[in-house]
Amino acid sequence: MLGIMMKGEKESVTVTIKGDGPMGTLVAVADHGKIRACTDNPKVEIPLREDGKLDVGGAVGRHGRMSVIKDLAMRKNYIGQSELVNGEIAMDFAQYFTASEQQPSLVALGVLVNGDMVLKAGGLLIQPLPGCPDEVIDQLELRSPMFADISREMTFAPIEQLCDDWFRGMEPRVLERTPISYTCTCSRDRMEKALISMGEKDLQSLIDDDQGAELVCHFCHSKYFFSTEQLRTLMKEAHKK
Ligand SMILES: [Zn+2]
């Protein structure tokens, strides 16, 4: 949702959540509808919560920080930070919008899983425009329990119909549709740049090992192999910098 809110074509947003839970740091990047994410430890297994839901807060941790970096292409990056509320993501984002962007927001998020399969995932982010009457905000807050279990609701009806129900009397309208997909933007060129940025000393130690180097993308697990000879070429590039 943050990615789709970015206006410029080349703009992107990176969210980093550093909690004290077993999952470690979580990073998600979105440029418009293209999204990728990874965590330090993606194979965390913890029991479900008492209400049968995923214990997201238990995996992320109850304490920690969230940071949002918006790459605004031609302009200076925007960086915002806030403390985690409970590691359940939705409340953490609500807190982030209020504390860091001074934008009070209503956030509902949900993922419905069956074993390893994601059955439904959805979210709702409501932000009042300037001059929004208090009665409207009160109405939205009153209705918020209706979309508390958003992923389960989505198994019964399409999101458009749910929005019609949830916001009945408020004339909801669809202004735009954006497809979303898990898409990585890694490339050999990017991996070369990463190697060059390691600097001459680290590159030299890779060359000395004489085994080449294999880089694995955190987001999509694509592998990129560089031979000792190729590393030498990159070292010349690093030397020029
Ligand atoms: Zn990748």
Side-chain angles (χ1 to χ4, degrees):
M1 287 190 281
L2 274 178
I4 287 164
M5 285 157 77
M6 304 299 285
K7 296 279 176 279
E9 206 169 300
K10 292 212 169 100
E11 295 179 358
S12 65
V13 58
T14 302
V15 177
T16 306
I17 295 174
K18 263 190 203 244
D20 59 357
M23 196 161 70
T25 300
L26 188 147
V27 180
V29 186
D31 40 282
H32 305 275
K34 292 190 196 127
I35 298 141
R36 53 213 162 270
C38 65
T39 75
D40 288 343
N41 181 12
K43 293 195 175 142
V44 171
E45 290 219 22
I46 48 174
L48 295 175
R49 292 187 334 203
E50 274 178 14
D51 59 4
K53 291 190 175 176
L54 287 177
D55 188 3
V56 178
V60 171
R62 305 288 172 193
H63 304 99
R65 287 188 78 75
M66 172 160 108
S67 73
V68 175
I69 300 174
K70 294 181 186 172
D71 182 345
L72 303 172
M74 306 305 281
R75 292 171 289 145
K76 200 168 171 281
N77 284 1
Y78 164 91
I79 302 173
Q81 285 203 359
S82 64
E83 297 285 329
L84 295 184
V85 179
N86 59 5
E88 292 283 340
I89 313 291
M91 273 180 79
D92 304 312
F93 266 107
Q95 161 75 8
Y96 160 77
F97 283 120
T98 307
S100 188
E101 296 199 9
Q102 282 82 49
Q103 170 69 72
S105 306
L106 229 157
V107 188
L109 299 170
V111 180
L112 188 67
V113 293
N114 182 5
D116 279 350
M117 280 261 293
V118 172
L119 302 177
K120 291 283 173 190
L124 200 67
L125 167 61
I126 305 175
Q127 298 186 321
L129 293 167
C132 178
D134 287 346
E135 304 89 83
V136 174
I137 295 171
D138 292 346
Q139 259 303 316
L140 289 167
E141 275 176 358
L142 269 174
R143 294 179 190 206
S144 62
M146 292 164 78
F147 33 83
D149 205 350
I150 189 163
S151 52
R152 190 165 291 280
E153 295 281 327
M154 284 170 73
T155 60
F156 301 121
I159 193 78
E160 291 87 346
Q161 194 188 319
L162 292 171
C163 283
D164 280 342
D165 292 345
W166 295 334
F167 306 113
R168 183 157 296 148
M170 299 178 112
E171 297 170 53
R173 272 186 298 153
V174 176
L175 300 176
E176 204 178 303
R177 287 171 202 271
T178 309
I180 52 172
S181 61
Y182 194 101
T183 307
C184 196
T185 53
C186 68
S187 64
R188 191 163 180 92
D189 190 47
R190 283 194 176 199
M191 292 296 176
E192 280 182 4
K193 287 201 176 94
L195 281 168
I196 293 167
S197 70
M198 281 169 56
E200 283 182 84
K201 201 165 147 248
D202 286 349
L203 277 171
Q204 185 62 57
S205 57
L206 283 177
I207 292 165
D208 291 343
D209 286 348
D210 203 28
Q211 314 226 320
E214 186 179 73
L215 270 62
V216 181
C217 173
H218 290 305
F219 293 118
C220 70
H221 310 295
S222 292
K223 289 176 180 161
Y224 298 88
F225 182 78
F226 292 87
S227 67
T228 305
E229 203 45 53
Q230 287 167 328
L231 290 173
R232 281 205 187 91
T233 315
L234 294 178
M235 180 131 155
K236 281 180 202 146
E237 291 289 317
H239 182 73
K240 283 187 213 155
K241 302 216 161 177

